[in-house]
């Protein structure tokens, strides 16, 4: 049994078998084994050697008589190498003496053999090192399973399986979900990446940024994913499994208890109404909304309609998708226009072609849409047409300059004029709002507020851009801090700007769905929270337990505190004085 740590996504707790996907060169697992496991490990190694030999003999028998003689000679060489003590005996001695796992013992001795061939001057003999590599690769495949590198190489269904890989793009995450994957672990990535957000919304438990995942986890290992505690247990013992099953039960009971709150309005104890909305990515997310009592959709990430396909969806296809959402949600649906680019590429970002050096600062979201009106206009037309059937709002992502906003609003007017001329049924009065997720827009929020009907704070990007921390880079993830005073000041400033202009301000980044920040945000004046649906009951409970008049002064004091520890302490204090719901 082995415990590994990364960054948990959500609070899922699950078990399953590992399927290791090596996207880059295979990493040889390297770990120590206990004295009691030595014989089993030697057995595993010898079985792998025997299997390779059996397969080579089988191959020998199937080679046609007229095949070139080198083919047979090649198999002979591999069989001889398998009998060489460097490959067949010395690793066994290492397993016994050094208590190393079979793969690492084999690699150590194979490397010595390769180094020996490398020194030979004769080019023909030197090239024999390639045969060593090939033989060792065959044994490694027996020990570790075949090397799979792309999700497309996996069997079609992945039920009960846990993908372990270097990284995953949002598009790949969607495709794994469609094939029933139970959970995933990645060596790279942070908990605010779009891949992680998607996993949360699709209810896929995940641990990201677990650097040693590929090194320690083998195909078919039994794994426990404990996302709330950022942990993965490899090969858990029976005691551990019993404990986890117990925790799963408690977790399910807690969720069932919170579900009882779904019909209660989110009103604080001093009578202030708070709007709780859901973030959605797919029309399939809709059934979950009513069960948690969401009052509408505060963020519909439409870019997922564009992923994993060769062509963008047509206007009619989009129209149908938006109608489906509007027909099934009783409150407002905030449809965010395309936010493609950066880590959200339609093809999963793996297609060959020029890569931007700094994609998060590149042609993303509204910038991309203004650059490619043939992509943007059909979406606007589809939204305006669908809005004749329900309460829709349009939200523009990543605005950073007024000029850009003006261009977007001009395109909106142009779209309406065209629809009018064509005699289409549409709603010309859809409120247009903007996401405040670039510091430039936060600082000048009052100027943007004059031209918009609502604002929504996207803390995922606002934190990324304010603190200069790539949200998908696990190496700087420790700096990703929603409580940084600059972030808190920007949030407060945007809320105040909205209040002064008389337009509503929501928050739809991950911070809105984390109960640790609920009371602080209430105290700073936030009255609309949008989050992944399953977070909503916890947030509602926090609201029901709060009095805003008690939170305001204290919350504002956090804006003047630069010291990280004191700030955390202040937030703990804020969260301490909860009132029982009445
Ligand atoms: C955000 O940036 O906070 C946000 C909600 O948008 P996304 O996570 O899709 O970039
Ligand atoms: Mg964003």
């Amino acid at each position: 049994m082995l415990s590994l740590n990364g960054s948990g996504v959500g609070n899922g707790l699950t078990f399953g078998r590992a399927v290791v996907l090596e996207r880059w060169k295979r990493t040889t697992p390297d770990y120590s084994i206990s004295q009691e496991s030595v014989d089993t490990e030697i057995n595993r190694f010898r079985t792998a050697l025997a299997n390779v030999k059996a397969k080579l003999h089988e191959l020998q028998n199937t080679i046609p008589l007229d095949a070139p003689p080198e083919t047979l000679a090649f198999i002979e060489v591999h069989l001889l190498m398998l009998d060489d003590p460097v490959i067949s005996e010395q690793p066994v001695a290492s397993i016994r003496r050094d208590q190393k796992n079979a793969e690492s013992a084999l690699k150590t001795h194979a490397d010595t053999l390769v180094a020996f061939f490398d020194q030979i001057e004769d080019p023909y003999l030197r090239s024999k090192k390639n045969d060593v590599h090939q033989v060792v690769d065959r044994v490694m495949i027996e020990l570790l399973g075949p090397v799979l590198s792309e999700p497309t190489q996996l069997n079609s269904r992945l039920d009960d399986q846990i993908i372990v890989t270097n990284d995953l793009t949002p598009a790949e995450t969607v495709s794994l979900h469609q094939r029933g994957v139970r959970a995933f672990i990645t060596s790279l990535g942070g908990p605010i990446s779009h891949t992680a957000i998607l996993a949360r919304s699709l209810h896929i438990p995940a641990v990201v940024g677990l650097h040693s995942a590929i090194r320690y986890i083998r195909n078919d290992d039994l794994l426990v994913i404990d996302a709330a505690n950022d942990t993965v247990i490899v090969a858990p013992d029976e005691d551990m499994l019993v404990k986890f099953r117990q925790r799963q039960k408690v977790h399910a009971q807690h969720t069932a208890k919170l579900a009882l709150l779904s019909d209660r309005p989110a009103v604080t104890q001093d009578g202030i109404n708070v709007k709780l909305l859901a973030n959605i990515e797919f029309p399939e997310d809709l059934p979950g909304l009513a069960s948690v009592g969401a009052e509408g959709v505060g963020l519909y990430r439409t870019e997922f309609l564009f992923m994993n396909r060769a062509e963008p969806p047509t206007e009619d296809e989009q129209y149908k998708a938006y109608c489906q959402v509007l027909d099934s949600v009783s409150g407002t649906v905030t449809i965010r226009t395309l936010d493609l680019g950066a880590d959200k590429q339609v093809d999963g970002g793996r297609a060959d072609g020029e890569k931007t050096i700094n994609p998060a600062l590149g042609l993303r979201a509204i910038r991309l849409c203004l650059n490619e009106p043939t992509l943007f206009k059909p979406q606007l037309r589809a939204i305006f047409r669908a809005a004749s059937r329900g309460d829709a709002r349009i939200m523009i992502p990543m605005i950073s300059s007024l000029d850009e906003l003006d261009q977007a609003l001009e395109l909106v007017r142009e779209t309406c004029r065209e629809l009018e001329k064509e005699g289409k049924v549409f709603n010309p009065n859809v409120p247009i709002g903007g996401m405040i997720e670039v510091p430039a827009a936060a600082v000048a929020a009052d100027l943007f507020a004059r031209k918009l009907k609502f604002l929504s704070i996207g803390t995922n990007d606002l934190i990324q851009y304010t603190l200069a921390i790539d949200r998908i880079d696990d190496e700087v993830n420790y700096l990703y801090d929603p409580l940084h005073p600059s972030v808190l000041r920007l949030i407060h400033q945007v809320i105040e700007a909205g209040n002064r202009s008389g337009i509503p301000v929501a928050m739809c980044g991950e911070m809105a769905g984390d109960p640790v920040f609920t009371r602080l945000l209430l105290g700073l004046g936030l009255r609309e929270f949008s989050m992944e649906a399953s977070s909503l009951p916890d947030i509602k409970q926090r609201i029901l337990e709060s009095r805003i008049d008690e939170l305001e002064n204290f919350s504002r004091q956090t804006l003047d505190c630069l010291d990280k520890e004191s700030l955390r302490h202040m937030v703990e204090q804020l969260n301490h004085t909860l009132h029982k719901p009445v």
Side-chain angles (χ1 to χ4, degrees):
M1 188 169 84
L2 179 70
S3 173
L4 304 172
N5 273 80
S7 299
V9 175
N11 53 7
L13 187 64
T14 193
F15 314 86
R17 295 271 167 197
V19 176
V20 180
L21 262 185
E22 292 244 13
R23 308 214 86 138
W24 304 316
K25 202 173 155 339
R26 173 169 252 173
T27 324
T28 309
D30 175 15
Y31 51 91
S32 299
I33 55 170
S34 63
Q35 183 59 47
E36 301 83 68
S37 317
V38 165
D39 287 341
T40 320
E41 195 65 6
I42 291 176
N43 217 355
R44 197 165 78 83
F45 178 66
R46 292 212 161 119
T47 309
L49 286 186
N51 287 347
V52 174
K53 272 193 203 170
K55 283 180 185 166
L56 285 174
H57 282 304
E58 215 177 288
L59 202 61
Q60 258 178 338
N61 296 334
T62 54
I63 287 183
L65 291 173
D66 56 353
E70 308 86 81
T71 321
L72 267 177
F74 164 78
I75 298 175
E76 287 292 335
V77 169
H78 283 196
L79 282 165
L80 281 173
M81 277 188 175
L82 283 168
D83 280 333
D84 191 305
V86 180
I87 300 288
S88 63
E89 288 311 320
Q90 290 182 10
V92 172
S94 288
I95 297 172
R96 201 182 297 286
R97 189 187 54 236
D98 307 330
Q99 289 178 222
K100 294 301 287 185
N101 62 310
E103 295 87 350
S104 134
L106 172 62
K107 184 173 183 308
T108 307
H109 295 285
D111 284 351
T112 321
L113 200 54
V114 168
F116 166 77
F117 280 115
D118 250 347
Q119 285 169 2
I120 299 177
E121 268 194 28
D122 179 274
Y124 172 74
L125 284 178
R126 198 168 59 236
S127 73
K128 287 286 147 212
K129 72 174 182 188
N130 295 331
D131 289 292
V132 179
H133 282 307
Q134 286 162 9
V135 166
V136 169
D137 276 352
R138 281 177 182 273
V139 183
M140 288 292 187
I141 286 171
E142 287 301 321
L143 288 167
L144 295 164
V147 187
L148 297 171
S149 60
E150 296 302 321
T152 43
Q153 294 173 306
L154 297 167
N155 292 331
S156 53
R157 290 299 303 170
L158 297 168
D159 304 274
D160 304 338
Q161 292 180 322
I162 296 177
I163 294 291
V164 183
T165 189
N166 309 90
D167 69 344
L168 283 176
T169 65
E172 288 164 346
T173 309
V174 174
S175 125
L176 292 177
H177 170 68
Q178 285 160 348
R179 292 151 72 185
V181 78
R182 176 168 285 190
F184 69 79
I185 299 167
T186 58
S187 317
L188 303 180
I192 314 289
S193 67
H194 284 105
T195 295
I197 290 175
L198 202 54
R200 222 169 277 132
S201 134
L202 296 169
H203 305 290
I204 309 176
V207 175
V208 297
L210 200 159
H211 293 223
S212 48
I214 304 278
R215 195 151 146 228
Y216 291 118
I217 301 173
R218 293 196 305 235
N219 264 329
D220 220 35
D221 273 345
L222 180 63
L223 303 177
V224 168
I225 306 263
D226 181 1
N229 289 310
D230 304 318
T231 308
V232 173
I233 312 281
V234 187
D237 58 20
E238 201 39 50
D239 267 6
M240 183 61 91
L241 283 174
V242 170
K243 270 191 212 140
F244 275 108
R245 286 201 185 97
Q246 188 56 33
R247 275 191 45 209
Q248 269 185 322
K249 235 190 240 164
V250 174
H251 189 67
Q253 282 162 355
H254 175 69
T255 312
K257 200 175 126 213
L258 287 180
L260 300 176
L261 298 177
S262 68
D263 291 337
R264 283 188 67 172
V267 182
T268 61
Q269 299 210 351
D270 48 342
I272 311 271
N273 272 305
V274 180
K275 208 173 207 173
L276 295 185
L277 304 158
N279 292 353
I280 63 165
E281 278 78 37
F282 308 97
E284 299 90 85
D285 296 333
L286 295 167
L289 266 54
S291 61
V292 294
E295 288 178 63
V297 171
L299 167 63
Y300 175 12
R301 290 184 166 100
T302 56
E303 51 277 7
F304 290 99
L305 289 171
F306 290 68
M307 286 184 186
N308 291 321
R309 48 186 298 156
E311 297 292 332
T314 60
E315 176 188 327
D316 276 343
E317 224 178 316
Q318 292 186 63
Y319 168 74
K320 281 190 195 121
Y322 304 147
C323 285
Q324 190 187 347
V325 175
L326 283 161
D327 288 350
S328 30
V329 175
S330 53
T332 307
V333 176
T334 313
I335 305 177
R336 179 172 76 180
T337 58
L338 260 180
D339 184 10
L340 281 174
D343 60 331
K344 283 184 287 191
Q345 303 288 335
V346 282
D347 60 356
R350 300 205 183 280
D352 290 339
E354 249 175 67
K355 299 261 189 290
T356 317
I357 291 175
N358 213 337
L361 303 181
L363 205 57
R364 191 193 146 182
I366 190 60
R367 302 171 180 184
L368 179 76
C369 287
L370 293 176
N371 198 49
E372 291 187 37
T374 50
L375 196 63
F376 194 32
K377 286 276 281 292
Q379 177 171 47
L380 288 176
R381 288 173 59 93
I383 301 175
F384 275 107
R385 286 172 54 207
S388 63
R389 305 181 35 149
D391 182 5
R393 305 196 291 184
I394 291 179
M395 180 157 79
I396 304 173
M398 220 190 152
I399 43 173
S400 58
S401 79
L402 280 173
D403 188 41
E404 205 171 41
L405 178 59
D406 286 340
Q407 283 181 54
L409 294 176
E410 181 46 37
L411 269 177
V412 162
R413 285 190 289 272
E414 191 180 297
T415 305
C416 288
R417 282 196 298 271
E418 283 169 13
L419 289 169
E420 175 96 64
K421 215 159 140 196
E422 292 166 31
K424 296 271 190 218
V425 179
F426 74 105
N427 174 4
N429 301 314
V430 182
I432 314 281
M435 280 194 76
I436 303 297
E437 49 185 351
V438 175
V443 170
D446 53 330
L447 302 180
F448 287 94
R450 289 184 202 161
K451 300 192 175 220
L452 292 164
K453 293 282 185 292
F454 66 93
L455 303 177
S456 185
I457 307 174
T459 49
N460 307 336
D461 279 314
L462 185 62
I463 299 171
Q464 152 164 272
Y465 295 128
T466 305
L467 304 182
I469 296 155
D470 187 343
R471 64 195 265 195
I472 63 169
D473 184 348
D474 54 300
E475 295 208 359
V476 287
N477 226 261
Y478 69 103
L479 293 168
Y480 198 93
D481 183 13
L483 290 180
H484 192 291
S486 307
V487 173
L488 295 181
R489 284 181 182 206
L490 287 178
I491 291 172
H492 186 236
Q493 214 169 306
V494 176
I495 297 170
E496 298 266 280
N499 289 345
R500 277 198 303 275
S501 307
I503 62 169
V505 177
M507 178 179 285
C508 62
E510 294 301 288
M511 197 175 170
D514 188 335
V516 170
F517 306 119
T518 311
R519 286 160 65 89
L520 173 64
L521 293 170
L522 286 173
L524 293 178
L526 191 72
R527 299 292 178 264
E528 271 189 41
F529 294 65
S530 188
M531 67 208 78
E532 195 269 305
S534 67
S535 307
L536 204 141
D538 267 323
I539 303 296
K540 189 185 276 186
Q541 191 174 35
R542 283 285 158 129
I543 291 166
L544 295 173
E545 290 169 346
S546 302
R547 288 190 61 93
I548 289 187
D549 52 10
E550 285 178 2
L551 300 174
E552 279 173 335
N553 280 340
F554 199 67
S555 296
R556 276 161 212 201
Q557 284 170 33
T558 60
L559 303 176
D560 292 320
C561 178
L562 196 60
D563 173 52
K564 208 168 166 166
E565 269 321 296
S566 313
L567 248 168
R568 289 207 184 281
H569 184 66
M570 285 171 89
V571 172
E572 262 167 36
Q573 259 181 292
L574 256 180
N575 289 337
H576 197 65
T577 50
L578 296 175
H579 299 274
K580 281 264 157 284
V582 279

